[in-house]
Each structure stands twice: as C-alpha cells, then as structure tokens.
Amino acid sequence: MKIPVLEIFGPTIQGEGMVIGRKTMFVRTAGCDYSCSWCDSKFTWDGSEKDSIQLLEPEEVFDSLKDIGGNTFGHVTISGGNPALLKQIDGLVDLLHQHQIEVALETQGSRWQDWFTKVDDLTLSPKPPSSGMKTNFTTLDNIIERLDKEQDGHFSLKVVIFDQEDLTYAEQIHVRYPFVTLFLQVGNDNIEASEDDRLLSDLLDKYEKLIDLVMENKVLKDVRVLPQLHTYLWGNKRGV
C-alpha cells in the first residue's frame, strides 16, 4: 500500500515535544481519526486539500526528502493527521534507518502499529477536554505497556494545555503513567492569526501563565513545560 502524503518540507526545527529544537525534515500524512476543535492541521482530515494528496511508495517519499533536503538532515518527523492509521509507514521507517536517518513520530495514542517499536523518538499526545475528543484509556494503557516493553527508541507523553480542565487532565495522565516523561505545551487557539507579533505576544503570555500554574502544582512535580516553538518564529505559516 502507498502512503497518502500531503506535504514534505524542511529542513527546519522541530517545534514541539521531546525533540524540540531538533533539526528535522517533515513528512505530513493525510487522514485522522480525531477532529480536535483547535487542530492546527485540519486540512489533513477535513477534505479541503484532498486533491493535494499524493500516494507514494516509501522509496518515492525518500527520494522527495533527498530532493528537498539534500544531505543536510539526519532526522525525519512523520506527522499528520494521525500517521498511526497507516500500517504501510513500516517500510518508510525501515528505509530511513537503512540510510542512518532517525525517525520521530507524534500520535494521539488511539491506534497501535507494530512499527512504533522501531521509532527513535515517539511522542504520545492524548487530547485533553478542550479538544472535544475523549481518550480511550484502555487503548492508551496497552500502547504504553507495549512501548515500555518493546520499543527500541524513546517515547514520551505530551499534553497541550488550553485551560484549567486540560491541566487537571494532565495531572491524571501524570498519575496514571508516572514512569513516562510528560511534556506540557501551551496551546495556540489563534490558528487563523496572520499578525505574527501579536500572536507571539499572546503565546508568550499564555506560556508564562502555564509555567506559573505548574510551579504551584503539587502533582506536576516532574513535568517539562514547553512553548510551541515554531509559532514563535514563523507564526501560523505552513511548511516551516
């Protein structure tokens, strides 16, 4: 089966999660089993860019990565949508590893794929109440248990925070999986904003407030609080 790809871009920096700041290329796949209210990549699942989807073999994805990034990268992030819907990404992970390229993945933890165990940097990002989605903890429990036993690389949890209810959800995640590193990331609810300076000011203010809340929190003692770094640099611009 071919991989439904919406865009390939980079090299750029990873703006989120456990590999924030890492130089990387991006492969963005189409399709998602969620429809989060604040999703910043709705075009991957709402049908608005269905005509832009390319069905590519792993070798074609690799060739595109090399055409765009040349010899300037050693890390590829597979993004979406939800790439975990795609069993066929297994071949792409193997091909990248054959060329000594590390692989990162972010998924909400709603589906398991056997190729997860090969991913070098895997972020599970279960969605908090503000998303409008409901976490299937039976599925998430199983994924984390299998990763803890079987994964060759590293994995972590990340929760995006928009409000106090989301922070309470993050506490529940931290208590449920205390042995997994948890990143908290400030949410961007201005995904249509075009004035970068105004957006940056708003995001910095929210980041500071999130830090203040975490500092006084008795449950969230061992978490890491992150900005959404790429929005600080390029706002809501795509392909960076």
Side-chain angles (χ1 to χ4, degrees):
M1 296 184 289
K2 296 185 177 182
I3 301 169
V5 176
L6 263 173
E7 53 185 4
I8 297 173
F9 62 91
T12 183
I13 59 163
Q14 173 57 258
E16 305 181 358
M18 64 191 295
V19 287
I20 189 169
R22 178 76 187 266
K23 183 179 179 181
T24 190
M25 295 287 292
F26 276 87
V27 176
R28 187 184 299 280
T29 62
C32 192
D33 50 332
Y34 276 21
S35 53
C36 296
S37 60
W38 36 252
C39 180
D40 60 2
S41 52
K42 289 183 179 180
F43 60 92
T44 63
W45 51 263
D46 67 3
S48 61
E49 296 195 19
K50 62 181 180 180
D51 293 337
S52 300
I53 298 172
Q54 299 182 74
L55 296 176
L56 303 177
E57 298 283 357
E59 293 78 9
E60 293 175 299
V61 176
F62 179 76
D63 289 344
S64 292
L65 285 164
K66 296 298 287 185
D67 286 344
I68 297 168
N71 295 318
T72 65
F73 68 96
H75 190 270
V76 170
T77 298
I78 302 172
S79 182
N82 184 11
L85 299 177
L86 305 171
K87 184 177 181 179
Q88 59 268 41
I89 286 179
D90 187 30
L92 177 60
V93 174
D94 287 345
L95 182 59
L96 291 169
H97 282 164
Q98 288 170 20
H99 290 271
Q100 291 76 51
I101 297 171
E102 294 183 354
V103 180
L105 170 78
E106 179 170 325
T107 177
Q108 58 261 47
S110 61
R111 301 286 184 93
W112 169 263
Q113 293 290 349
D114 288 342
W115 54 263
F116 281 6
T117 61
K118 305 176 185 178
V119 173
D120 300 283
D121 304 303
L122 194 155
T123 297
L124 296 172
S125 183
K127 305 310 178 188
S130 63
S131 69
M133 301 292 103
K134 187 174 178 62
T135 301
N136 184 329
F137 279 102
T138 300
T139 299
L140 187 58
D141 287 349
N142 179 64
I143 290 173
I144 288 177
E145 181 179 2
R146 292 193 65 173
L147 288 173
D148 190 45
K149 292 179 179 178
E150 303 174 30
Q151 199 204 19
D152 293 331
H154 308 281
F155 77 98
S156 65
L157 284 158
K158 186 192 80 176
V159 178
V160 180
I161 307 296
F162 284 86
D163 54 35
Q164 183 60 50
E165 193 175 6
D166 289 353
L167 197 65
T168 299
Y169 174 86
E171 292 177 5
Q172 295 168 352
I173 291 290
H174 196 41
V175 169
R176 193 179 187 102
Y177 312 109
F179 57 94
V180 183
T181 302
L182 174 61
F183 295 87
L184 303 184
Q185 179 180 295
V186 66
N188 175 15
D189 54 7
N190 294 320
I191 56 177
E192 302 298 331
S194 56
E195 298 179 30
D196 290 350
D197 290 343
R198 188 172 180 179
L199 175 63
L200 176 58
S201 177
D202 182 56
L203 290 173
L204 283 170
D205 182 60
K206 290 175 179 175
Y207 185 38
E208 183 177 7
K209 288 178 180 177
L210 176 58
I211 289 173
D212 289 342
L213 288 172
V214 172
M215 292 309 104
E216 63 186 25
N217 191 292
K218 296 179 180 179
V219 176
L220 300 171
K221 295 179 179 179
D222 302 311
V223 302
R224 306 180 189 189
V225 187
L226 299 180
Q228 194 180 40
L229 187 57
H230 58 280
T231 59
Y232 287 21
L233 298 171
W234 300 296
N236 290 316
K237 184 179 179 181
R238 279 176 55 180
V240 291

